Amino acid sequence: YGQSQKQLTKQERILENFKQLLIRALKMVLVGELAKGITHEINNPLQIILGKIQMATIGLNHQDALKHVEKQSLQIASLVRTISDISKNRTGDSVEIIEINSFLEHTIGLIRGQIEKRGIEIHLNLDKKSMPIHSNSDYLRQLILNSALNAKKRMSCGGQFTVSTNMIDDNAIQIEFKDNGSKLEGNFNKSILNYAVEMDKLCQLNVDLGEITNILLVKELGGVIDYQSHESFGNKILIRIPQNSQDTN
C-alpha cells in the first residue's frame, strides 16, 4: 500500500507539472497570436493621434484634439499592459475580485480589430446584472482570448461570433462562446487529463491544442466546460465557473 501511495503521489506531481508547463507554453503561443494583430490595434490609434496633433498645431480645436489623444494613448497602453500581464508566470493561487461582464468586454476589445478584419461580426449578449467573481484573472483572460482566437481560425471566410453571460444558481456564472465556423473535430468528451502523462495517447485524441488548454484552464478555475458542435449550426462552448474559486477547494 505504501509503495502504491508513493507511486500515485509521484504521478500526481508529474501531472500537475505537465499541466502548468502546458498552460505556460500555450500562453506564449497566445502572446504570439496577439502580436500578429498588434500592428492593426496600435496603428489605428496612432493615426488618430497624429491627425489630432496636426489639427492642434494649426490651431483647430485644441481641447477636442487633446481628448482624442488621451483616449487613444490609453487604448495603446491598455493593450501593451495586457500583453505584459499575459506574459507573466502567475500561480493558480493568484485570485482577485473580477466583474465578469466588464472584464470580458475589455478582453474581447483587445482583439476586436483583428477578428473583425477577418469579416467576422462580434456580438456581446452580456447579462445586465453585475456578476463579480473571485477568480484568477490571468487564467480567465487567457481562456477568453483563446476561445475568441480559436473561433476566428474556424471562420476563415467570415461569420458570426457571439459571447453571452448569465448567472447559474446564484453561485456560478456561465459564459457561452458561439460561432458558425467549421465543426470542431476531435473527441472532447474523453478525460484528457487521464492521458496527460502519456504524450502519445494525448496526440491520438485529435483535439485542437488551443481547446486542450481551455479545458485545463477551466479545470484550474474550478469550472466545467461543455462542447456542442454540428455542421448545421457551428459550435457552442459552454463554460461554468463558480463565483468563488475557494468554493471548489
Side-chain angles (χ1 to χ4, degrees), residues 112-147:
R112 179 180 284 273
Q114 61 173 290
I115 291 178
E116 291 179 338
K117 189 177 180 181
R118 183 71 69 86
I120 299 169
E121 295 181 14
I122 299 176
H123 303 282
L124 300 180
N125 298 329
L126 307 180
D127 198 302
K128 291 183 171 58
K129 299 190 298 292
S130 176
M131 295 195 298
I133 64 172
H134 192 239
S135 192
N136 183 303
S137 62
D138 191 34
Y139 285 175
L140 192 57
R141 185 184 293 109
Q142 190 175 352
L143 176 64
I144 294 168
L145 290 172
N146 271 347
S147 299

mmCIF file of all heavy atoms in Angstrom, residues 112-147:
data_model
loop_
_atom_site.group_PDB
_atom_site.id
_atom_site.type_symbol
_atom_site.label_atom_id
_atom_site.label_comp_id
_atom_site.label_asym_id
_atom_site.label_seq_id
_atom_site.Cartn_x
_atom_site.Cartn_y
_atom_site.Cartn_z
ATOM 1 N N ARG A 112 -10.651 42.765 -30.956
ATOM 2 C CA ARG A 112 -11.814 43.008 -31.822
ATOM 3 C C ARG A 112 -11.387 43.376 -33.238
ATOM 4 O O ARG A 112 -11.941 42.890 -34.223
ATOM 5 C CB ARG A 112 -12.693 44.107 -31.227
ATOM 6 C CG ARG A 112 -13.910 44.440 -32.065
ATOM 7 C CD ARG A 112 -14.744 45.540 -31.437
ATOM 8 N NE ARG A 112 -15.518 45.048 -30.320
ATOM 9 C CZ ARG A 112 -16.724 44.500 -30.431
ATOM 10 N NH1 ARG A 112 -17.288 44.366 -31.646
ATOM 11 N NH2 ARG A 112 -17.376 44.091 -29.379
ATOM 12 N N GLY A 113 -10.382 44.240 -33.339
ATOM 13 C CA GLY A 113 -9.937 44.702 -34.655
ATOM 14 C C GLY A 113 -9.476 43.578 -35.559
ATOM 15 O O GLY A 113 -9.888 43.484 -36.718
ATOM 16 N N GLN A 114 -8.622 42.688 -35.033
ATOM 17 C CA GLN A 114 -8.098 41.620 -35.893
ATOM 18 C C GLN A 114 -9.148 40.562 -36.211
ATOM 19 O O GLN A 114 -9.046 39.888 -37.226
ATOM 20 C CB GLN A 114 -6.858 40.988 -35.260
ATOM 21 C CG GLN A 114 -7.039 40.330 -33.919
ATOM 22 C CD GLN A 114 -5.774 39.604 -33.477
ATOM 23 O OE1 GLN A 114 -5.393 38.578 -34.050
ATOM 24 N NE2 GLN A 114 -5.106 40.147 -32.475
ATOM 25 N N ILE A 115 -10.156 40.418 -35.338
ATOM 26 C CA ILE A 115 -11.237 39.469 -35.634
ATOM 27 C C ILE A 115 -12.177 40.044 -36.692
ATOM 28 O O ILE A 115 -12.537 39.367 -37.664
ATOM 29 C CB ILE A 115 -12.020 39.119 -34.351
ATOM 30 C CG1 ILE A 115 -11.138 38.287 -33.416
ATOM 31 C CG2 ILE A 115 -13.302 38.345 -34.682
ATOM 32 C CD1 ILE A 115 -11.796 37.922 -32.106
ATOM 33 N N GLU A 116 -12.577 41.309 -36.530
ATOM 34 C CA GLU A 116 -13.479 41.935 -37.491
ATOM 35 C C GLU A 116 -12.803 42.113 -38.848
ATOM 36 O O GLU A 116 -13.482 42.110 -39.877
ATOM 37 C CB GLU A 116 -13.951 43.281 -36.949
ATOM 38 C CG GLU A 116 -14.881 43.133 -35.751
ATOM 39 C CD GLU A 116 -15.344 44.459 -35.179
ATOM 40 O OE1 GLU A 116 -14.651 45.481 -35.409
ATOM 41 O OE2 GLU A 116 -16.374 44.474 -34.497
ATOM 42 N N LYS A 117 -11.486 42.238 -38.848
ATOM 43 C CA LYS A 117 -10.751 42.344 -40.108
ATOM 44 C C LYS A 117 -10.927 41.082 -40.943
ATOM 45 O O LYS A 117 -10.815 41.118 -42.176
ATOM 46 C CB LYS A 117 -9.262 42.580 -39.796
ATOM 47 C CG LYS A 117 -8.407 42.920 -41.003
ATOM 48 C CD LYS A 117 -6.967 43.195 -40.571
ATOM 49 C CE LYS A 117 -6.094 43.538 -41.766
ATOM 50 N NZ LYS A 117 -4.679 43.782 -41.357
ATOM 51 N N ARG A 118 -11.208 39.957 -40.304
ATOM 52 C CA ARG A 118 -11.439 38.680 -40.993
ATOM 53 C C ARG A 118 -12.863 38.603 -41.552
ATOM 54 O O ARG A 118 -13.233 37.610 -42.168
ATOM 55 C CB ARG A 118 -11.175 37.541 -40.001
ATOM 56 C CG ARG A 118 -11.293 36.133 -40.539
ATOM 57 C CD ARG A 118 -10.182 35.758 -41.479
ATOM 58 N NE ARG A 118 -8.899 35.620 -40.821
ATOM 59 C CZ ARG A 118 -8.472 34.511 -40.234
ATOM 60 N NH1 ARG A 118 -9.243 33.446 -40.173
ATOM 61 N NH2 ARG A 118 -7.273 34.456 -39.707
ATOM 62 N N GLY A 119 -13.678 39.649 -41.345
ATOM 63 C CA GLY A 119 -15.065 39.629 -41.815
ATOM 64 C C GLY A 119 -15.999 38.946 -40.835
ATOM 65 O O GLY A 119 -17.073 38.472 -41.214
ATOM 66 N N ILE A 120 -15.597 38.901 -39.559
ATOM 67 C CA ILE A 120 -16.390 38.245 -38.516
ATOM 68 C C ILE A 120 -17.099 39.302 -37.675
ATOM 69 O O ILE A 120 -16.471 40.249 -37.196
ATOM 70 C CB ILE A 120 -15.486 37.379 -37.609
ATOM 71 C CG1 ILE A 120 -14.803 36.280 -38.446
ATOM 72 C CG2 ILE A 120 -16.288 36.763 -36.466
ATOM 73 C CD1 ILE A 120 -13.696 35.551 -37.706
ATOM 74 N N GLU A 121 -18.402 39.150 -37.508
ATOM 75 C CA GLU A 121 -19.177 40.049 -36.656
ATOM 76 C C GLU A 121 -19.144 39.545 -35.220
ATOM 77 O O GLU A 121 -19.365 38.366 -34.970
ATOM 78 C CB GLU A 121 -20.629 40.134 -37.139
ATOM 79 C CG GLU A 121 -20.789 40.766 -38.508
ATOM 80 C CD GLU A 121 -22.245 40.846 -38.926
ATOM 81 O OE1 GLU A 121 -23.132 40.661 -38.056
ATOM 82 O OE2 GLU A 121 -22.509 41.066 -40.123
ATOM 83 N N ILE A 122 -18.892 40.449 -34.279
ATOM 84 C CA ILE A 122 -18.849 40.089 -32.866
ATOM 85 C C ILE A 122 -20.098 40.625 -32.183
ATOM 86 O O ILE A 122 -20.438 41.799 -32.310
ATOM 87 C CB ILE A 122 -17.597 40.673 -32.182
ATOM 88 C CG1 ILE A 122 -16.334 40.116 -32.831
ATOM 89 C CG2 ILE A 122 -17.611 40.364 -30.689
ATOM 90 C CD1 ILE A 122 -15.052 40.717 -32.275
ATOM 91 N N HIS A 123 -20.784 39.753 -31.444
ATOM 92 C CA HIS A 123 -21.971 40.148 -30.694
ATOM 93 C C HIS A 123 -21.769 39.779 -29.230
ATOM 94 O O HIS A 123 -21.433 38.639 -28.910
ATOM 95 C CB HIS A 123 -23.221 39.444 -31.235
ATOM 96 C CG HIS A 123 -23.466 39.699 -32.691
ATOM 97 N ND1 HIS A 123 -24.010 40.865 -33.161
ATOM 98 C CD2 HIS A 123 -23.209 38.921 -33.780
ATOM 99 C CE1 HIS A 123 -24.099 40.814 -34.484
ATOM 100 N NE2 HIS A 123 -23.608 39.648 -34.882
ATOM 101 N N LEU A 124 -21.963 40.754 -28.340
ATOM 102 C CA LEU A 124 -21.849 40.511 -26.906
ATOM 103 C C LEU A 124 -23.232 40.596 -26.266
ATOM 104 O O LEU A 124 -23.845 41.668 -26.240
ATOM 105 C CB LEU A 124 -20.912 41.537 -26.262
ATOM 106 C CG LEU A 124 -19.462 41.574 -26.770
ATOM 107 C CD1 LEU A 124 -18.670 42.636 -26.032
ATOM 108 C CD2 LEU A 124 -18.791 40.208 -26.639
ATOM 109 N N ASN A 125 -23.728 39.466 -25.787
ATOM 110 C CA ASN A 125 -25.007 39.417 -25.079
ATOM 111 C C ASN A 125 -24.718 39.199 -23.592
ATOM 112 O O ASN A 125 -24.820 38.093 -23.071
ATOM 113 C CB ASN A 125 -25.883 38.273 -25.620
ATOM 114 C CG ASN A 125 -26.226 38.475 -27.087
ATOM 115 O OD1 ASN A 125 -26.339 39.602 -27.557
ATOM 116 N ND2 ASN A 125 -26.388 37.381 -27.813
ATOM 117 N N LEU A 126 -24.340 40.281 -22.925
ATOM 118 C CA LEU A 126 -23.901 40.184 -21.537
ATOM 119 C C LEU A 126 -25.046 40.471 -20.582
ATOM 120 O O LEU A 126 -25.853 41.381 -20.811
ATOM 121 C CB LEU A 126 -22.755 41.164 -21.281
ATOM 122 C CG LEU A 126 -21.567 41.054 -22.258
ATOM 123 C CD1 LEU A 126 -20.495 42.058 -21.904
ATOM 124 C CD2 LEU A 126 -21.000 39.638 -22.277
ATOM 125 N N ASP A 127 -25.106 39.684 -19.517
ATOM 126 C CA ASP A 127 -26.150 39.864 -18.511
ATOM 127 C C ASP A 127 -26.092 41.284 -17.954
ATOM 128 O O ASP A 127 -25.018 41.820 -17.687
ATOM 129 C CB ASP A 127 -25.942 38.848 -17.371
ATOM 130 C CG ASP A 127 -27.188 38.673 -16.529
ATOM 131 O OD1 ASP A 127 -27.674 39.671 -15.981
ATOM 132 O OD2 ASP A 127 -27.649 37.520 -16.410
ATOM 133 N N LYS A 128 -27.263 41.911 -17.805
ATOM 134 C CA LYS A 128 -27.313 43.291 -17.326
ATOM 135 C C LYS A 128 -26.947 43.409 -15.853
ATOM 136 O O LYS A 128 -26.554 44.481 -15.389
ATOM 137 C CB LYS A 128 -28.708 43.885 -17.566
ATOM 138 C CG LYS A 128 -29.029 44.115 -19.047
ATOM 139 C CD LYS A 128 -30.391 44.757 -19.207
ATOM 140 C CE LYS A 128 -30.623 45.193 -20.648
ATOM 141 N NZ LYS A 128 -30.522 44.108 -21.605
ATOM 142 N N LYS A 129 -27.071 42.320 -15.115
ATOM 143 C CA LYS A 129 -26.720 42.350 -13.696
ATOM 144 C C LYS A 129 -25.196 42.302 -13.520
ATOM 145 O O LYS A 129 -24.494 41.692 -14.322
ATOM 146 C CB LYS A 129 -27.341 41.159 -12.957
ATOM 147 C CG LYS A 129 -28.853 41.104 -12.988
ATOM 148 C CD LYS A 129 -29.371 40.042 -12.033
ATOM 149 C CE LYS A 129 -28.903 38.646 -12.419
ATOM 150 N NZ LYS A 129 -29.494 38.163 -13.657
ATOM 151 N N SER A 130 -24.726 42.956 -12.457
ATOM 152 C CA SER A 130 -23.306 42.871 -12.123
ATOM 153 C C SER A 130 -23.006 41.449 -11.646
ATOM 154 O O SER A 130 -23.745 40.890 -10.839
ATOM 155 C CB SER A 130 -22.970 43.881 -11.023
ATOM 156 O OG SER A 130 -21.621 43.748 -10.624
ATOM 157 N N MET A 131 -21.922 40.857 -12.151
ATOM 158 C CA MET A 131 -21.579 39.482 -11.801
ATOM 159 C C MET A 131 -20.125 39.398 -11.348
ATOM 160 O O MET A 131 -19.244 39.003 -12.106
ATOM 161 C CB MET A 131 -21.830 38.557 -12.999
ATOM 162 C CG MET A 131 -23.286 38.455 -13.401
ATOM 163 S SD MET A 131 -23.635 37.055 -14.502
ATOM 164 C CE MET A 131 -22.621 37.466 -15.909
ATOM 165 N N PRO A 132 -19.863 39.794 -10.096
ATOM 166 C CA PRO A 132 -18.490 39.696 -9.580
ATOM 167 C C PRO A 132 -18.125 38.248 -9.253
ATOM 168 O O PRO A 132 -18.956 37.485 -8.762
ATOM 169 C CB PRO A 132 -18.532 40.549 -8.312
ATOM 170 C CG PRO A 132 -19.959 40.477 -7.863
ATOM 171 C CD PRO A 132 -20.789 40.371 -9.115
ATOM 172 N N ILE A 133 -16.892 37.866 -9.551
ATOM 173 C CA ILE A 133 -16.415 36.541 -9.184
ATOM 174 C C ILE A 133 -15.035 36.682 -8.545
ATOM 175 O O ILE A 133 -14.307 37.642 -8.805
ATOM 176 C CB ILE A 133 -16.340 35.569 -10.390
ATOM 177 C CG1 ILE A 133 -15.309 36.057 -11.421
ATOM 178 C CG2 ILE A 133 -17.694 35.390 -11.036
ATOM 179 C CD1 ILE A 133 -15.049 35.050 -12.531
ATOM 180 N N HIS A 134 -14.696 35.725 -7.693
ATOM 181 C CA HIS A 134 -13.396 35.691 -7.023
ATOM 182 C C HIS A 134 -12.587 34.617 -7.724
ATOM 183 O O HIS A 134 -12.769 33.425 -7.472
ATOM 184 C CB HIS A 134 -13.605 35.362 -5.536
ATOM 185 C CG HIS A 134 -12.381 35.574 -4.706
ATOM 186 N ND1 HIS A 134 -11.790 34.563 -3.980
ATOM 187 C CD2 HIS A 134 -11.625 36.676 -4.486
ATOM 188 C CE1 HIS A 134 -10.728 35.035 -3.346
ATOM 189 N NE2 HIS A 134 -10.605 36.309 -3.635
ATOM 190 N N SER A 135 -11.704 35.038 -8.646
ATOM 191 C CA SER A 135 -11.061 34.054 -9.504
ATOM 192 C C SER A 135 -9.692 34.549 -9.964
ATOM 193 O O SER A 135 -9.249 35.640 -9.596
ATOM 194 C CB SER A 135 -11.961 33.775 -10.722
ATOM 195 O OG SER A 135 -11.518 32.649 -11.434
ATOM 196 N N ASN A 136 -9.027 33.743 -10.787
ATOM 197 C CA ASN A 136 -7.702 34.060 -11.312
ATOM 198 C C ASN A 136 -7.859 34.824 -12.629
ATOM 199 O O ASN A 136 -8.270 34.262 -13.633
ATOM 200 C CB ASN A 136 -6.917 32.755 -11.528
ATOM 201 C CG ASN A 136 -5.506 32.995 -12.008
ATOM 202 O OD1 ASN A 136 -5.277 33.621 -13.027
ATOM 203 N ND2 ASN A 136 -4.537 32.483 -11.264
ATOM 204 N N SER A 137 -7.524 36.113 -12.617
ATOM 205 C CA SER A 137 -7.716 36.947 -13.806
ATOM 206 C C SER A 137 -6.814 36.521 -14.959
ATOM 207 O O SER A 137 -7.191 36.629 -16.134
ATOM 208 C CB SER A 137 -7.481 38.425 -13.472
ATOM 209 O OG SER A 137 -6.148 38.631 -13.048
ATOM 210 N N ASP A 138 -5.622 36.036 -14.647
ATOM 211 C CA ASP A 138 -4.677 35.611 -15.673
ATOM 212 C C ASP A 138 -5.238 34.425 -16.454
ATOM 213 O O ASP A 138 -5.262 34.419 -17.691
ATOM 214 C CB ASP A 138 -3.354 35.236 -15.017
ATOM 215 C CG ASP A 138 -2.236 35.047 -16.039
ATOM 216 O OD1 ASP A 138 -2.235 35.754 -17.049
ATOM 217 O OD2 ASP A 138 -1.364 34.187 -15.809
ATOM 218 N N TYR A 139 -5.721 33.400 -15.727
ATOM 219 C CA TYR A 139 -6.302 32.226 -16.386
ATOM 220 C C TYR A 139 -7.578 32.608 -17.149
ATOM 221 O O TYR A 139 -7.824 32.125 -18.257
ATOM 222 C CB TYR A 139 -6.627 31.146 -15.358
ATOM 223 C CG TYR A 139 -5.431 30.405 -14.823
ATOM 224 C CD1 TYR A 139 -5.573 29.457 -13.801
ATOM 225 C CD2 TYR A 139 -4.153 30.624 -15.321
ATOM 226 C CE1 TYR A 139 -4.473 28.767 -13.303
ATOM 227 C CE2 TYR A 139 -3.057 29.947 -14.828
ATOM 228 C CZ TYR A 139 -3.224 29.014 -13.814
ATOM 229 O OH TYR A 139 -2.139 28.330 -13.325
ATOM 230 N N LEU A 140 -8.383 33.477 -16.538
ATOM 231 C CA LEU A 140 -9.651 33.860 -17.154
ATOM 232 C C LEU A 140 -9.412 34.633 -18.451
ATOM 233 O O LEU A 140 -10.085 34.397 -19.462
ATOM 234 C CB LEU A 140 -10.461 34.701 -16.174
ATOM 235 C CG LEU A 140 -11.931 34.967 -16.514
ATOM 236 C CD1 LEU A 140 -12.691 33.659 -16.685
ATOM 237 C CD2 LEU A 140 -12.582 35.820 -15.427
ATOM 238 N N ARG A 141 -8.441 35.546 -18.433
ATOM 239 C CA ARG A 141 -8.123 36.309 -19.646
ATOM 240 C C ARG A 141 -7.609 35.393 -20.745
ATOM 241 O O ARG A 141 -7.994 35.512 -21.907
ATOM 242 C CB ARG A 141 -7.084 37.383 -19.325
ATOM 243 C CG ARG A 141 -6.785 38.313 -20.496
ATOM 244 C CD ARG A 141 -5.673 39.297 -20.177
ATOM 245 N NE ARG A 141 -6.075 40.245 -19.147
ATOM 246 C CZ ARG A 141 -5.598 40.247 -17.905
ATOM 247 N NH1 ARG A 141 -4.713 39.321 -17.541
ATOM 248 N NH2 ARG A 141 -5.993 41.138 -17.025
ATOM 249 N N GLN A 142 -6.742 34.456 -20.370
ATOM 250 C CA GLN A 142 -6.209 33.511 -21.347
ATOM 251 C C GLN A 142 -7.321 32.657 -21.940
ATOM 252 O O GLN A 142 -7.341 32.376 -23.142
ATOM 253 C CB GLN A 142 -5.146 32.625 -20.694
ATOM 254 C CG GLN A 142 -4.361 31.759 -21.678
ATOM 255 C CD GLN A 142 -3.243 30.980 -20.996
ATOM 256 O OE1 GLN A 142 -2.950 31.193 -19.823
ATOM 257 N NE2 GLN A 142 -2.623 30.067 -21.727
ATOM 258 N N LEU A 143 -8.269 32.258 -21.105
ATOM 259 C CA LEU A 143 -9.404 31.453 -21.553
ATOM 260 C C LEU A 143 -10.256 32.209 -22.570
ATOM 261 O O LEU A 143 -10.640 31.660 -23.616
ATOM 262 C CB LEU A 143 -10.260 31.054 -20.344
ATOM 263 C CG LEU A 143 -11.550 30.297 -20.611
ATOM 264 C CD1 LEU A 143 -11.256 28.937 -21.226
ATOM 265 C CD2 LEU A 143 -12.350 30.135 -19.318
ATOM 266 N N ILE A 144 -10.547 33.475 -22.299
ATOM 267 C CA ILE A 144 -11.380 34.291 -23.201
ATOM 268 C C ILE A 144 -10.669 34.532 -24.529
ATOM 269 O O ILE A 144 -11.256 34.360 -25.608
ATOM 270 C CB ILE A 144 -11.734 35.628 -22.527
ATOM 271 C CG1 ILE A 144 -12.634 35.405 -21.311
ATOM 272 C CG2 ILE A 144 -12.435 36.563 -23.523
ATOM 273 C CD1 ILE A 144 -12.798 36.630 -20.433
ATOM 274 N N LEU A 145 -9.388 34.908 -24.459
ATOM 275 C CA LEU A 145 -8.635 35.176 -25.685
ATOM 276 C C LEU A 145 -8.472 33.909 -26.516
ATOM 277 O O LEU A 145 -8.615 33.932 -27.742
ATOM 278 C CB LEU A 145 -7.267 35.765 -25.331
ATOM 279 C CG LEU A 145 -7.272 37.184 -24.754
ATOM 280 C CD1 LEU A 145 -5.877 37.576 -24.271
ATOM 281 C CD2 LEU A 145 -7.773 38.198 -25.781
ATOM 282 N N ASN A 146 -8.168 32.787 -25.864
ATOM 283 C CA ASN A 146 -8.057 31.503 -26.566
ATOM 284 C C ASN A 146 -9.345 31.182 -27.313
ATOM 285 O O ASN A 146 -9.336 30.792 -28.486
ATOM 286 C CB ASN A 146 -7.776 30.369 -25.569
ATOM 287 C CG ASN A 146 -6.295 30.164 -25.324
ATOM 288 O OD1 ASN A 146 -5.454 30.673 -26.042
ATOM 289 N ND2 ASN A 146 -5.980 29.422 -24.286
ATOM 290 N N SER A 147 -10.486 31.342 -26.616
ATOM 291 C CA SER A 147 -11.778 30.988 -27.198
ATOM 292 C C SER A 147 -12.092 31.854 -28.415
ATOM 293 O O SER A 147 -12.583 31.359 -29.434
ATOM 294 C CB SER A 147 -12.887 31.145 -26.148
ATOM 295 O OG SER A 147 -12.661 30.286 -25.045
#
